[in-house]
Amino acid sequence: MKKILLIILDGLGDRPNRALGNKTALQAAFKPNLDYLADNGVTGLMSPVGFGIRSGSDTSHLSILGYNPREYYTGRGPFEALGLGIDLQPGDVAFRANFASVENGRVTDRRAGRIKDTTELSRSLETEIDGVKFIIKSGVEHRAALVIRGPNLSDRVSETDPHAINSDIMLTKPLSPEAEFTSSVINKFLIRSREILNNHEVNKKRIQNGEKPANEIMIRGAGKLPEMPSFEKLYGLKAACVSGTPLIRGIARMAGFDILNVSGMTGRTDTNYENVISAAVDALKTHDFVLVNIKGTDIAGHDRKPELKREVIEKTDRAMEGLKKLLDTTVIAVTGDHSTPCSFGDHTGDPVPILISTSGITRDYVKTFDEASVSLGYYKITSLDIMPLLLSYSDRSEKYGA
Ligand SMILES: O=C(O)[C@@H](CO)OP(=O)(O)O
């Protein structure tokens, strides 16, 4: 039986970009190690969740790990909260929150210029209103989690993220009658938060420095704690997660993974790629399955920066230099969780390249790892096919039938 190393470059898939000579970031990147693994492995295209679906990182990671989101997904919020170390209790409603910039009632930046630290802002918003506790914890850049705790709370409330700039700021609405109280108490919180954030020293300083203020908190992905069997129970695998992204850490925590902390791992494009990959290699000594998530490719895609996306791929590739040595004992798979084309600035339903490499594998004829090359590879699969393939290539599958 072999170990399994699954490396997910978030938002990896792309479309040809004029700035890169009509190539995708993967096609334009110098990436000898990814190409080596593709050449010495089997490749193909993977559609996250299903063909043509514009999945979020939450639903795609769940399905890659074999948790069908149609069965287990209750919303993004609970995973963001768990990933930030909040002990979610049954009955709590959790949201993903964005610190955003607003001018004259309109959203000018959904990410407040990818603000570096919102800890003080989050702290200033914590409160209790009408017997409901508002717990807010800062994540990486503009991201945060909001948890509301109290009796009779419902997650059937609408989001307040317009997902587009120049849109009016929003309040939440109940999506069913039992959510009326929840919606009204959240709106009291949001109105109060606007006042606090607009007068906050941090924002006054940001404006003085010519930076956009983080003066709005937008919420989405309402959900309650999901019920999921552990990864160990599903597959008999002891698993670890190496990711600086709270959402991914939250999903892994929910699945019972060991969540590793790595020096220099930021969850941003400036993460220490060498440390991330070597922590994963170390973790293979004590775990059967290691999940790595590299977030920079997705950030570059959202920010429409193809050169940055190429750079993230090249840095990841350089850090992967030593992985060739593991192929006798390990199945290595590399893919994305969805496409975030720089020309589109958001997730699309385009399929993502996948490679699976290990010694003794029957190789296909693909020698380079990019969207077009792997279309000639062996597999056209969805994310729900990944775990069965990894179990099979690592000689861990159970026989189906006698
Ligand atoms: O968290 C993120 O990186 C993205 C989703 O991939 O969300 P947002 O667009 O709100 O930044």
Side-chain angles (χ1 to χ4, degrees):
M1 282 199 298
K2 287 178 176 170
K3 304 270 176 131
I4 301 168
L5 173 61
L6 172 59
I7 301 177
I8 296 181
L9 287 108
D10 211 293
L12 176 66
D14 216 300
R15 294 174 179 172
N17 204 289
R18 223 173 283 156
L20 299 178
N22 257 343
K23 291 178 174 171
T24 68
L26 256 180
Q27 286 173 324
F30 176 66
K31 44 167 181 43
N33 297 306
L34 284 165
D35 289 344
Y36 179 92
L37 294 174
D39 189 13
N40 289 278
V42 65
T43 67
L45 285 169
M46 186 279 286
S47 287
V49 183
F51 294 100
I53 291 185
R54 285 184 64 202
S55 63
S57 291
D58 44 10
T59 50
S60 62
H61 273 80
L62 279 173
S63 65
I64 287 170
L65 298 176
Y67 296 92
N68 191 333
R70 294 188 174 97
E71 202 177 325
Y72 294 107
Y73 184 62
T74 60
R76 181 175 177 129
F79 298 119
E80 295 273 7
L82 288 164
L84 286 171
I86 300 176
D87 278 319
L88 214 53
Q89 296 172 9
D92 288 354
V93 180
F95 300 83
R96 154 65 187 267
N98 272 28
F99 280 96
S101 308
V102 165
E103 222 181 295
N104 301 324
R106 290 188 167 228
V107 179
T108 57
D109 188 335
R110 287 184 57 257
R111 306 182 181 102
R114 290 199 183 273
I115 181 170
K116 276 248 163 73
D117 186 3
T118 61
T119 321
E120 272 187 60
L121 297 176
S122 290
R123 212 174 286 139
S124 71
L125 300 184
E126 292 215 317
T127 188
E128 190 168 324
I129 305 173
D130 298 340
V132 177
K133 213 168 163 191
F134 286 79
I135 303 158
I136 174 153
K137 189 123 197 244
S138 291
V140 180
E141 300 177 324
H142 56 290
R143 305 175 189 90
L146 169 70
V147 172
I148 56 174
R149 182 168 293 161
N152 304 319
L153 294 174
S154 167
D155 56 2
R156 302 275 302 129
V157 290
S158 68
E159 62 177 325
T160 67
D161 183 344
H163 293 278
I165 55 165
N166 296 324
S167 309
D168 291 338
I169 49 170
M170 296 161 78
L171 290 176
T172 182
K173 291 193 187 84
L175 297 174
S176 59
E178 85 271 8
E180 268 169 33
F181 168 71
T182 310
S183 169
S184 85
V185 80
I186 291 173
N187 286 338
K188 285 183 191 173
F189 166 79
L190 294 177
I191 291 164
R192 175 185 176 275
S193 300
R194 282 175 190 156
E195 201 177 319
I196 293 173
L197 292 174
N198 274 315
N199 293 310
H200 203 290
E201 276 310 308
V202 167
N203 280 328
K204 286 187 182 158
K205 268 196 209 124
R206 284 180 70 78
I207 291 169
Q208 263 169 26
N209 296 338
E211 293 171 315
K212 290 178 187 159
N215 56 351
E216 174 76 4
I217 185 129
M218 308 190 305
I219 54 169
R220 70 180 200 253
K224 292 190 176 182
L225 195 65
E227 272 178 39
M228 284 166 46
S230 76
F231 200 69
E232 188 150 15
K233 185 159 178 223
L234 279 182
Y235 307 114
L237 296 173
K238 184 168 160 41
C241 167
V242 182
S243 167
T245 303
L247 169 68
I248 309 306
R249 292 167 75 87
I251 290 172
R253 188 176 158 195
M254 203 57 224
F257 284 46
D258 288 329
I259 312 297
L260 307 186
N261 293 318
V262 178
S263 140
M265 180 170 72
T266 62
R268 302 186 300 251
T269 55
D270 64 357
T271 201
N272 188 321
Y273 295 85
E274 271 77 25
N275 287 5
V276 166
I277 299 296
S278 66
V281 172
D282 273 356
L284 283 168
K285 293 176 193 142
T286 46
H287 296 78
D288 307 308
F289 182 98
V290 179
L291 169 71
V292 176
N293 172 282
I294 306 272
K295 180 68 178 167
T297 29
D298 184 56
I299 295 173
H302 279 289
D303 287 351
R304 299 173 184 261
K305 292 180 174 164
E307 286 93 354
L308 179 62
K309 191 162 183 177
R310 177 178 59 187
E311 200 183 303
V312 171
I313 293 167
E314 290 182 345
K315 285 183 174 164
T316 308
D317 184 85
R318 267 201 297 280
M320 289 170 65
E321 174 72 37
L323 296 189
K324 296 179 191 119
K325 289 189 299 224
L326 304 181
L327 292 173
D328 282 341
T329 53
T330 314
V331 173
I332 300 178
V334 184
T335 189
D337 58 341
H338 51 75
S339 295
T340 312
C342 297
S343 53
F344 190 68
D346 205 343
H347 305 187
T348 63
D350 302 11
V352 188
I354 184 166
L355 70 82
I356 303 174
S357 185
T358 192
S359 60
I361 197 168
T362 306
R363 294 153 59 179
D364 59 22
Y365 290 111
V366 172
K367 297 196 172 305
T368 46
F369 187 59
D370 64 65
E371 295 82 349
S373 303
V374 301
S375 71
L376 301 171
Y378 194 77
Y379 286 116
K380 302 281 180 304
I381 55 174
T382 74
S383 44
L384 285 162
D385 299 311
I386 293 178
M387 279 310 299
L389 287 174
L390 296 182
L391 292 172
S392 170
Y393 282 123
S394 61
D395 300 329
R396 289 171 183 272
S397 288
E398 298 220 347
K399 203 168 179 182
Y400 179 57

